[in-house]
């Protein structure tokens, strides 16, 4: 128990020994830092490691005047530092600058130069190189699209460091295009079309770059139920003209002999499966990570065209077939076949995204219209990918690949692999004149140079010192080049472990501690500014450790404003000699009292600051002695203080506020919310002015209304400043009338009541209700009769028109009106012409 008390006391003394001042803490964040490491981790702070610096705060702001008196040779104030390791010039028109400064041409892109800033998983760092600012090239003809390539940085916490990164797309840059195709039965016509368009695809890409390689692979799905039928016969021929199902097959590695592409596509056979989604993610993962099998080049634009008309399985779907082992993201190829199709689950989207970023590959999802929305959303989660609509028979594949390649190469997006302790922000003008915060520029052409200004900020120091040296990359998406940044975070002071101000068992620490950065780090059992106290100095009960605390309710010694040295408080000394900390426990001071208009205790004429409280002189009061104690300014005209409705505070009236009554005015003489005498005077005003109300009888009115006689006015106006009160009421006829009253005190003390009333009340116009009702009834009858007459008129006109039409048609009839034209008699009569007339 005694050891715990001593340990706590020692820690508190060490933390308090630099004179932390609470008032200064809010103004200067440096003064609260008690170690060199904590000091330089605070923005714009410096540390003084002078051994005999005294009680003053060692952590200070060099720019804050007056500055500390620490000698310059003892100031620890590291600055951000940038050292350029490699800065080769950007390629221009397919040519690069040689080491000697001349132009080198004719070098092939196959001649790789591993230290030229190429990126493998954005984790490799280049070594060696030219001096800072040099414009030398690789000397091997390598193309440079990102400049600079390698930088060393030393940064302090929360201090921005700006650095320029340039990008230019080189002319005739190599392109590797791997065509990954779904060869399920539904894609049979697409395969045939692609085999015919293979040469056209090669020719089209060669128009873009002369250094072009093409490869081909296919996929179906895992050979498990329920993905494919496992009936032995179906495993051999799942459909007519189909070959056995498989997960992923590499038919043709990337090759300059693109004539073989059409042949390989033509020779590939379709297969069949059961469910709608396909195992495309397995194929993408293997095509991306199996660099040697596919033949991806380090220095080339890598395109993976993924062609399908169906959806995809992703991580977790493998459980349906009994596959529970997660995908490890490694290459598992043998004889150009994926060997772990039935062993590992499908990869997740995040795994695909990670591997695509690490290998700098652009995926183009060439899918049919029905699947386009799904793959469009998928492409938003995979860096550097895009999606486009493939026709039902893949006839537009050449145009699709060309257009998507142009989209990819016409824009650049900068990203980084910085950890959570580092924040990188990008600014650029792109190809315009306006600087804006962006990491992406569009509309680029071959040879256009885009400059990005990066702001790098270390936001926090990692707890593990090993993590304070990091390497990360700033890279354009889909390009196998990057700027490698070796970052050292300035979180530690060298004087804490070495240097002239580091000494173990230093005499300045009484031989019982280590001098580090000017302060003593005491050995176990010793404490004090110079380790001058030890456990033997404590009494037998150990109570001396509590002599620097006012009671047992706090662990803070000397109120946090002094040093507890062997059981006695030594208060801190302020930079301003007029500011003094005092008291047995350093609990008092003469500078932290309340202020008025930024003046302590309103100035020496009003009061003085004693132990944090203003002691006011005679005639002044208030927490900052800002108020006069005189009450003369609060007397109303009747001599009462605040009219008897308030109190005088600081020379001004503070009026009373009750439940329904609120006084106001300079002397609380006004009461807008008081009930007043309106209700009391109402009956007399009604009977005297309008012969209405409960006292409308002349005798009752004369006997009860003797205090005043109202003055008749046409319009009632009142003046609030003369203490007049306005009253408004409605009588039994719903007529509104208004009157004003006020009271005056005569010299003899009597109170006279004055009333001005409205001459004529404002009554609403009379409404003849019976007339309105009769009028409405009459209007309804008239409208009904009018509608009947109109109906009769219309029917009459219609009948006459129909009769006239009938007469007209009857007159135009061509048959005898006495004979039915459609009737034929049952007998026929014939005449013999020979006997005519005989």
């Amino acid at each position: 128990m005694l050891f715990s008390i001593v340990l706590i006391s020692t820690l508190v003394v060490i933390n308090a020994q630099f004179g932390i001042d609470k008032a200064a803490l809010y103004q200067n964040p440096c003064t609260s830092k008690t170690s060199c490491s904590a000091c330089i981790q605070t923005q714009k702070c410096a540390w003084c490691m002078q051994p005999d610096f005294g009680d003053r705060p060692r952590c200070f702001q060099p720019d804050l005047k007056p500055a500390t008196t620490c000698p310059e040779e003892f100031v620890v104030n590291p600055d951000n530092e940038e050292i350029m390791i490699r800065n080769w010039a950007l390629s221009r028109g397919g040519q690069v600058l040689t080491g000697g400064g001349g132009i080198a041409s004719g070098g092939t892109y196959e001649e790789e130069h591993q230290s030229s800033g190429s990126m493998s998983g954005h984790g490799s760092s280049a070594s060696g190189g030219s001096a800072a600012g040099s414009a030398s090239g690789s000397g091997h003809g390598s193309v440079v699209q990102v400049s600079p390539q390698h930088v060393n940085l030393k940064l302090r916490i929360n201090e921005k460091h700006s650095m320029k990164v340039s990008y230019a797309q080189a002319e005739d840059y190599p392109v590797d295009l791997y065509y990954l195709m779904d060869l399920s039965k539904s894609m049979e016509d697409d395969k045939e079309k692609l085999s015919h368009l293979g040469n056209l695809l090669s020719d089209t890409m060669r128009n873009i770059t002369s250094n072009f390689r093409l490869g081909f692979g296919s996929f179906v799905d895992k050979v498990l139920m329920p993905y494919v039928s496992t009936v032995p016969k179906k495993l051999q021929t799942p459909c007519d003209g189909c070959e056995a199902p498989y997960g992923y097959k590499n038919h043709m590695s990337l090759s300059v002999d693109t004539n073989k592409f059409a042949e390989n596509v033509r020779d590939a056979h379709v297969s069949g499966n059961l469910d709608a989604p396909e195992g495309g993610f397995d194929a993408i993962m293997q095509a991306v990570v199996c660099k040697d099998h596919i033949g991806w080049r380090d220095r080339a634009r890598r395109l993976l065209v993924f062609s399908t008309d169906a959806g995809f399985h992703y991580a977790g779907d493998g459980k349906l077939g009994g596959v529970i082992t997660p995908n490890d993201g490694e290459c598992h190829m043998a004889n150009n076949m994926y060997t772990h199709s039935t062993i590992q689950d499908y990869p997740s989207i995040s795994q695909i995204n990670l591997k695509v970023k690490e290998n700098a590959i652009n995926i183009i999802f060439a899918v049919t219209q029905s699947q386009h929305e799904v793959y469009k959303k998928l492409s938003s989660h995979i860096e550097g990918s895009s999606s486009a609509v493939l026709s039902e028979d893949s006839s537009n594949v050449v145009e699709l690949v060309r257009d998507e390649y142009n989209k990819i190469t016409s824009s650049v997006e900068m990203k980084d692999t910085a950890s959570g302790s580092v924040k990188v922000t990008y600014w650029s003008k792109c190809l315009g004149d306006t600087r804006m915060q962006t990491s992406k520029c569009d509309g680029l052409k071959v040879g256009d140079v885009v400059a990005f200004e990066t702001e790098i900020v270390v936001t926090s120091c990692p707890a593990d010192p090993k993590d304070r040296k990091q390497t990360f990359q700033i890279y354009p998406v889909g390009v196998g080049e990057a700027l490698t940044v070796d970052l050292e975070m300035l979180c530690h002071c060298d004087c804490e472990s070495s240097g002239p101000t580091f000494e173990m068992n230093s005499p300045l620490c009484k031989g019982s501690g280590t001098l580090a950065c000017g302060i003593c780090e005491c050995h176990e059992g010793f404490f004090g500014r110079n380790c001058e106290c030890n456990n033997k100095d404590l009494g037998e009960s150990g109570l001396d450790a509590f002599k620097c605390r006012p009671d047992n309710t706090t662990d803070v010694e000397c109120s946090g404003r002094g040093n507890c040295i062997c059981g006695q408080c030594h208060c801190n000394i302020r930079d301003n000699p007029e500011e003094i900390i005092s008291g047995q426990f350093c609990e008092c001071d003469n500078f932290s009292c309340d202020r008025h208009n930024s003046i302590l205790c309103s100035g020496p004429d009003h009061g003085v600051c004693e132990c944090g409280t203003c002691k006011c002189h005679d005639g002044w009061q208030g927490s900052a002695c800002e108020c006069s104690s005189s009450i003369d300014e609060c007397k109303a005209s009747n001599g009462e203080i605040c009219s008897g409705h308030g109190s005088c505070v600081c020379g001004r009236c503070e009026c009373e506020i009750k439940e329904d009554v609120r006084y106001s005015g300079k002397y609380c003489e006004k009461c807008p919310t008081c009930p007043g005498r309106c209700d009391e005077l109402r009956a007399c005003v009604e009977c005297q002015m309008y012969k209405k109300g409960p006292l409308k009888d002349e005798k009752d009115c004369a006997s009860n209304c003797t205090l005043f006689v109202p003055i008749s006015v046409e319009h009632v106006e009142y003046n609030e400043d003369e203490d007049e009160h306005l009253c408004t009421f409605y009588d039994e006829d719903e007529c509104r009338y208004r009157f004003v009253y006020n009271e005056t005190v005569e010299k003899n003390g009597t109170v006279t009541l004055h009333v001005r009333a409205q001459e004529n009340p404002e009554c609403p116009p009379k409404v003849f209700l019976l007339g309105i009702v009769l009028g409405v009834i009459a209007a309804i009858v008239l409208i009904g009769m009018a509608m009947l007459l109109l109906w009769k008129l219309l029917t009459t006109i219609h009948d006459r028109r129909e009769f006239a039409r009938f007469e007209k048609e009857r007159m135009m009839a061509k048959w005898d009106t006495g004979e039915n034209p459609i009737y034929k008699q049952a007998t026929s009569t014939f005449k013999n012409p020979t006997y005519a007339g005989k």
Side-chain angles (χ1 to χ4, degrees):
M1 179 65 183
L2 177 61
F3 176 74
S4 300
I5 295 174
V6 173
L7 181 60
I8 294 173
S9 302
T10 304
L11 293 175
V12 173
V13 168
I14 292 175
N15 289 333
Q17 65 179 327
F18 296 107
I20 299 174
D21 178 25
K22 291 182 180 179
L25 179 62
Y26 294 104
Q27 302 173 3
N28 188 344
C30 303
T31 55
S32 63
K33 308 305 176 184
T34 58
S35 67
C36 184
S37 295
C39 181
I40 66 170
Q41 290 180 30
T42 306
Q43 193 173 8
K44 298 181 180 180
C45 292
W47 179 263
C48 182
M49 60 180 180
Q50 184 179 3
D52 55 347
F53 194 62
D55 296 332
R56 292 165 293 176
R58 290 181 176 271
C59 191
F60 63 95
Q61 282 185 335
D63 298 334
L64 189 64
K65 302 298 182 181
T68 183
T69 56
C70 181
E72 185 176 353
E73 63 268 21
F74 290 107
V75 175
V76 180
N77 186 22
D79 292 327
N80 291 346
E81 183 179 354
E82 176 184 324
I83 301 176
M84 189 68 64
I85 303 300
R86 184 175 300 106
N87 188 18
W88 290 333
L90 296 172
S91 300
R92 288 288 191 277
Q95 298 176 331
V96 294
L97 294 176
T98 64
I103 299 297
S105 60
T108 66
Y109 292 109
E110 311 301 330
E111 299 172 352
E112 303 293 343
H113 193 268
Q114 298 298 330
S115 62
S116 63
S118 64
M119 179 172 53
S120 178
H122 306 309
S124 64
S125 60
S127 61
S130 59
S134 70
S136 62
S138 67
H140 286 72
S142 297
V143 174
V144 178
Q145 297 185 114
V146 177
S147 178
Q149 296 81 37
H150 197 175
V151 173
N152 281 359
L153 292 181
K154 294 183 179 180
L155 301 182
R156 289 184 60 172
I157 307 301
N158 294 322
E159 291 192 4
K160 295 180 180 179
H161 178 76
S162 297
M163 184 171 58
K164 184 178 178 181
V165 181
S166 299
Y167 168 81
Q169 180 186 349
E171 184 180 348
D172 203 27
Y173 195 67
V175 175
D176 287 348
L177 191 152
Y178 190 77
Y179 200 96
L180 185 58
M181 188 175 189
D182 172 12
L183 281 189
S184 57
K185 182 66 173 177
S186 59
M187 293 286 289
E188 187 171 15
D189 57 338
D190 301 74
K191 183 187 77 71
E192 296 300 327
K193 181 63 69 174
L194 182 62
S195 65
H196 294 301
L197 296 176
N199 293 329
L200 179 59
L201 176 61
S202 302
D203 295 339
T204 301
M205 294 305 298
R206 281 202 176 88
N207 290 332
I208 297 175
T209 173
S210 61
N211 198 327
F212 171 67
R213 299 198 307 172
L214 187 61
F216 174 65
S218 66
F219 63 92
V220 182
D221 211 336
K222 294 184 182 296
V223 188
L224 293 170
M225 282 289 292
Y227 316 111
V228 302
S229 176
T230 56
V231 177
K233 182 179 179 180
K234 292 292 186 180
L235 284 176
Q236 297 299 320
T237 55
C239 52
D240 294 337
C242 297
E243 68 174 12
Y246 55 90
Y248 162 66
K249 181 188 297 184
N250 175 32
H251 295 272
M252 173 185 171
S253 299
L254 292 167
S255 172
V256 294
D257 187 5
T258 55
N259 294 326
K260 292 183 179 180
F261 178 80
E263 181 182 344
N264 277 276
V265 174
R266 185 169 50 254
D267 293 343
H269 295 283
V270 297
S271 186
N273 61 331
L274 293 179
D275 60 345
E278 313 292 0
F281 273 21
D282 275 344
I284 292 177
M285 177 62 75
Q286 295 304 303
V288 170
V289 300
C290 295
K291 182 177 179 180
D292 294 335
H293 291 80
I294 305 302
W296 297 113
R297 290 178 289 183
D298 289 334
R299 307 285 288 175
R301 174 78 71 172
R302 306 168 189 172
L303 302 180
L304 175 63
V305 180
F306 182 86
S307 175
T308 185
D309 62 350
F312 49 85
H313 284 295
Y314 51 89
D317 288 357
K319 295 180 180 179
L320 297 174
V323 180
I324 59 175
T325 304
N327 194 288
D328 59 7
E330 301 294 334
C331 179
H332 300 285
M333 296 286 291
N335 298 323
N336 288 322
M337 296 291 291
Y338 178 35
T339 60
H340 283 48
S341 176
T342 59
I343 299 175
Q344 291 187 354
D345 192 8
Y346 300 98
S348 65
I349 296 175
S350 60
Q351 283 180 301
I352 295 290
N353 181 51
L354 176 63
K355 295 302 178 180
V356 165
K357 290 197 307 183
E358 288 179 352
N359 292 275
I361 292 178
N362 294 106
I363 299 181
I364 301 174
F365 293 107
V367 296
T368 55
Q369 181 66 48
S370 60
Q371 300 294 328
H372 182 242
E373 287 300 320
V374 175
Y375 282 90
K376 184 178 180 181
K377 291 181 180 179
L378 174 63
S379 64
S380 64
H381 296 283
I382 299 179
E383 183 178 290
S385 65
S386 61
S387 64
V389 178
L390 186 70
S391 61
E392 293 298 330
D393 59 352
S394 300
S395 58
N396 66 332
V397 65
V398 177
E399 294 82 1
L400 185 149
V401 172
R402 181 192 59 205
D403 295 343
E404 291 302 312
Y405 176 80
N406 290 333
K407 289 180 183 178
I408 293 171
T409 56
S410 64
S411 66
V412 58
E413 182 178 8
M414 303 299 293
K415 292 207 173 182
D416 56 82
T417 60
S419 66
S421 301
V422 182
K423 180 181 179 182
V424 183
T425 307
Y426 300 92
W427 298 79
S428 179
K429 294 182 179 180
C430 291
L431 298 179
D433 299 325
T434 304
R435 181 176 180 267
M436 55 186 173
Q437 183 176 344
T438 181
S439 61
K440 186 175 183 179
C441 293
D442 298 317
L444 306 183
K445 299 178 181 178
V446 174
D448 288 340
V449 178
V450 179
F452 290 90
E453 182 180 344
T454 62
E455 288 185 355
I456 304 175
V457 182
V458 178
T459 57
S460 61
C461 276
D464 189 349
K466 295 180 181 178
D467 295 333
R468 295 175 183 176
K469 288 186 177 182
Q470 300 181 1
T471 296
F472 65 92
Q473 276 73 34
I474 298 175
Y475 63 95
V477 174
V479 178
E481 299 180 44
L483 164 62
T484 300
V485 180
D486 294 330
L487 174 63
E488 179 181 351
M489 304 179 187
L490 300 178
C491 302
H492 177 77
C493 297
D494 293 337
C495 60
E496 292 176 331
S497 56
S498 62
T501 59
F502 178 82
E503 184 180 8
M504 299 182 67
N505 301 319
S506 173
L508 294 178
C509 302
K510 308 298 182 183
S512 301
T514 299
L515 182 68
C517 294
I519 61 175
C520 287
E521 297 178 357
C522 301
H523 299 329
E524 184 177 354
F526 293 86
F527 58 95
R529 181 185 300 277
N530 301 110
C531 305
E532 67 274 20
C533 301
N534 56 48
N535 296 344
K536 297 179 181 179
D537 295 331
L538 300 175
E540 294 182 359
S541 62
L543 296 178
D544 284 348
F546 296 96
K547 289 183 179 180
C548 297
R549 309 176 195 172
D551 50 50
N552 292 334
T553 62
T554 177
D555 293 334
V556 180
E557 296 180 355
C558 301
S559 303
R561 303 195 295 180
N563 306 322
C564 183
I565 302 176
C566 298
Q568 185 178 0
C569 284
H570 292 260
C571 300
N572 297 331
I573 299 175
R574 304 272 296 179
D575 291 336
N576 187 349
E578 295 181 359
E579 297 179 352
I580 300 174
I581 302 174
S582 60
Q584 180 182 356
F585 307 105
C586 303
E587 74 276 12
C588 296
D589 62 61
N590 65 346
F591 54 82
S592 61
C593 296
D594 290 343
R595 299 171 183 265
H596 180 65
N597 293 332
S598 300
I599 301 176
L600 187 68
C601 297
S602 301
D605 294 336
H606 289 208
V608 294
C609 181
E610 296 181 2
C611 202
T613 305
C614 288
K615 301 296 182 182
C616 301
H617 300 324
D618 293 340
W620 298 98
Q621 60 182 359
S623 61
C625 303
E626 74 278 14
C627 300
S628 173
S629 57
S630 174
I631 60 174
D632 294 339
E633 297 294 329
C634 297
K635 289 183 179 180
S637 58
N638 58 5
E640 286 191 273
I641 301 299
C642 299
S643 303
H645 301 306
S647 57
C648 187
V649 178
C650 206
R652 299 181 63 181
C653 285
E654 290 190 358
C655 303
E656 296 178 354
I657 298 177
K658 299 180 180 179
E659 292 184 359
D660 299 326
V661 178
R662 182 186 295 270
Y663 292 94
S664 61
K666 182 178 180 181
Y667 302 107
C668 304
E669 73 279 8
K670 300 177 182 179
C671 183
T673 60
C674 293
R677 302 181 64 183
C678 289
D679 290 332
E680 176 187 346
L681 305 177
R682 174 181 181 179
C684 290
V685 171
E686 283 189 350
C687 73
Q688 290 176 330
M689 290 295 298
Y690 314 117
K691 310 302 180 184
K692 296 181 180 181
L695 302 177
K696 60 183 177 181
D697 186 84
E698 292 185 4
K699 293 182 179 180
D700 292 339
C701 186
S703 60
N704 289 284
C705 301
T706 59
L707 295 178
F708 67 93
V709 176
I711 301 174
S712 177
V713 295
E714 184 176 358
H715 298 289
V716 174
E717 297 179 354
Y718 79 106
N719 190 343
E720 187 178 0
D721 295 335
E722 296 182 3
D723 201 21
E724 291 184 342
H725 301 272
L726 177 65
C727 305
T728 302
F729 292 101
Y730 289 86
D731 59 18
E732 62 267 19
D733 297 327
E734 295 299 327
C735 297
R736 189 183 74 169
Y737 62 92
R738 308 170 73 187
F739 62 90
V740 172
Y741 76 90
N742 69 325
E743 298 173 315
T744 58
V745 181
E746 305 295 339
K747 294 182 179 180
N748 57 5
T750 61
V751 179
T752 303
L753 184 63
H754 303 277
V755 178
R756 299 195 310 277
Q758 187 173 340
E759 181 178 359
N760 298 313
E762 300 173 4
C763 298
K766 293 182 179 181
V767 178
F768 183 54
L769 186 59
L770 180 61
I772 293 175
V773 173
L774 294 176
V776 171
I777 294 173
I780 293 173
V781 172
L782 291 175
I783 292 174
M785 293 179 65
M787 292 180 66
L788 287 173
L789 291 174
L790 179 60
W791 173 80
K792 181 62 178 175
L793 177 62
L794 293 176
T795 53
T796 301
I797 293 173
H798 180 267
D799 292 344
R800 287 183 177 180
R801 286 182 176 178
E802 290 296 323
F803 181 75
R805 183 184 300 169
F806 171 75
E807 288 291 329
K808 183 178 180 181
E809 291 177 352
R810 189 173 64 85
M811 295 296 295
M812 294 176 64
K814 296 182 179 180
W815 60 82
D816 188 0
T817 57
E819 183 178 333
N820 191 340
I822 63 174
Y823 174 74
K824 291 186 178 181
Q825 294 183 0
T827 60
S828 300
T829 303
F830 298 95
K831 292 183 180 181
N832 191 338
T834 308
Y835 299 99
K838 295 182 181 180

